[in-house]
Amino acid sequence: MLVLAADKVDASAVEAMTAMGYTVDVDPKLTDADLPAHIEKYNILIVRSTKVKADTIAAAKNLKMVIRAGAGTSTIDVKAAAAAGIPVCNTPGRNAAAVAELAIGMLVCCDRRMPRAMRHLAQGEWKKGSFQVAHGLRGRTLGVVGRGFIARYVVEGAKGLGMKVKMFSAGLTEEDAKELGVEKITDKNELASCDAVSVHMAYSANKPETFHFIDADFLGKMRDGAILVNCARGEVVDTAALKEAIKTKGLRVGCDVYENEPVKADDVFVDTELAELVEVATPHIGASTNQASEAVGEEVVRMMEVFIKDGKVENC
Ligand code: MLT
């Protein structure tokens, strides 16, 4: 088996694959545009942020599987892969705690405006009087969009902070809601009326309802000064409308993901206006802990083994 990793994968996974007798080429500099010219000889393609487009699938004459080392397959043309009979897998849940922790951190940062306070302090300005906030988070209501692993960890964290949690998910059962100690909601207006909203839904180009799920209409219904955290995908929030809502109603925002975000390390992030406007902005580091990378790597190797030995495709 010839394996190509077009993004960095955990060293432990590369070691394990090599020990299993596979040849693994790791080339994190390969872009989506480079892939068609490189893919032909490979049997397995592993990616994290690098997009896999239809032209790569068309050139992938020997490819048996694409594995996204992360949650979801939004960066991969799954339709083209399905038409070519190539399964596309991912590693759900393996980095969920890391992402959820970042989201909770953002919630607190947005509420107490810590990064802004820190910027003043770094300039020698003691702005103690400027950072009085109305409430704090205890007793406030958080709307969580989604019901996957990350959403569930966020619920735990928010409840630990004494927040009331409403979970927006049509698929959430009443039993699950009871067990999680949340209120199930399916009305977007009710979601918009929460004191804070944290988005943890999967984005898919094949599900138009997931594109700009948070749009101008939704943002217009949020309260002045409410909090919005997006550690899911940039595409679920309308960036132009978000900027407007920050300017006009003082929305406090935390972002780890962006529309048209850079893919490769050291790429340039162009939307510096957004980074200036929000309370906290990070460069898609939700899953960036060694523990999460190892867990994702382990799952990649496990799925490959199951596929190669038993012909079974998991997490598809
Ligand atoms: C994920 O999809 O699990 C993360 O967003 C992966 C990443 O950090 O690229």
Side-chain angles (χ1 to χ4, degrees):
M1 282 284 163
L2 269 182
V3 181
L4 174 64
D7 288 300
K8 205 165 167 278
V9 276
D10 200 74
S12 59
V14 178
E15 262 171 43
M17 288 185 272
T18 310
M20 284 155 66
Y22 309 137
T23 303
V24 188
D25 292 338
V26 183
D27 193 348
K29 287 202 160 35
L30 282 181
T31 65
D32 56 354
D34 298 329
L35 274 178
H38 285 76
I39 197 66
E40 191 173 345
K41 64 178 180 180
Y42 290 99
N43 308 117
I44 302 217
L45 173 62
I46 303 171
V47 284
R48 177 171 168 174
S49 308
T50 304
K51 293 190 170 69
V52 180
K53 298 182 173 166
D55 54 354
T56 296
I57 299 294
K61 299 295 176 223
N62 296 293
L63 199 62
K64 299 188 184 320
M65 188 183 217
V66 179
I67 302 178
R68 178 157 188 281
T73 55
S74 63
T75 47
I76 297 166
D77 190 332
V78 283
K79 267 192 182 164
I86 301 168
V88 178
C89 307
N90 72 119
T91 60
R94 291 311 179 112
N95 55 23
V99 179
E101 284 165 14
L102 189 78
I104 291 291
M106 285 196 168
L107 202 56
V108 180
C109 278
C110 285
D111 188 51
R112 303 301 298 270
R113 308 175 73 214
M114 291 187 282
R116 205 174 288 274
M118 193 178 136
R119 283 204 292 272
H120 284 291
L121 210 53
Q123 302 295 322
E125 297 164 1
W126 188 255
K127 295 262 183 189
K128 188 173 162 92
S130 308
F131 288 92
Q132 179 90 13
V133 296
H135 290 286
L137 295 172
R138 190 168 188 83
R140 313 306 291 165
T141 302
L142 173 68
V144 172
V145 184
R147 65 186 163 94
F149 293 100
I150 302 170
R152 283 162 192 255
Y153 285 135
V154 167
V155 169
E156 268 181 35
K159 285 172 68 184
L161 292 170
M163 298 189 82
K164 297 176 208 150
V165 185
K166 297 186 178 188
M167 215 167 189
F168 180 91
S169 166
L172 184 74
T173 64
E174 288 300 344
E175 295 74 53
D176 253 3
K178 202 166 163 197
E179 201 175 303
L180 287 165
V182 300
E183 185 187 334
K184 172 184 168 168
I185 57 170
T186 51
D187 176 2
K188 235 172 145 177
N189 291 331
E190 198 173 347
L191 178 68
S193 72
C194 291
D195 301 300
V197 172
S198 194
V199 185
H200 302 287
M201 66 189 281
Y203 164 72
S204 167
N206 300 325
K207 290 186 184 156
E209 69 278 13
T210 61
F211 181 71
H212 288 182
F213 171 82
I214 305 284
D215 58 8
D217 179 57
F218 184 90
L219 294 163
K221 287 174 182 154
M222 287 185 82
R223 298 180 186 163
D224 287 3
I227 295 172
L228 178 73
V229 170
N230 184 11
C231 290
R233 287 290 175 264
E235 290 88 346
V236 302
V237 177
D238 179 341
T239 311
L242 183 67
K243 287 179 186 171
E244 198 52 32
I246 297 171
K247 288 176 194 161
T248 56
K249 54 197 305 181
L251 217 63
R252 290 173 286 166
V253 174
C255 286
D256 186 44
V257 289
Y258 309 88
E259 290 194 83
N260 306 314
E261 71 182 36
V263 171
K264 296 292 174 182
D266 303 327
D267 279 356
V268 174
F269 178 67
V270 289
D271 201 350
T272 49
E273 185 200 4
L274 180 69
E276 278 293 328
L277 281 170
V278 298
E279 295 301 328
V280 50
T282 48
H284 201 151
I285 57 166
S288 298
T289 69
N290 289 345
Q291 183 274 332
S293 302
E294 276 167 32
V296 165
E298 237 174 56
E299 181 66 353
V300 166
V301 175
R302 191 194 67 78
M303 285 190 303
M304 267 178 61
E305 246 189 319
V306 169
F307 177 65
I308 292 163
K309 288 198 178 140
D310 306 331
K312 281 194 203 144
V313 177
E314 294 186 358
N315 300 335
C316 213

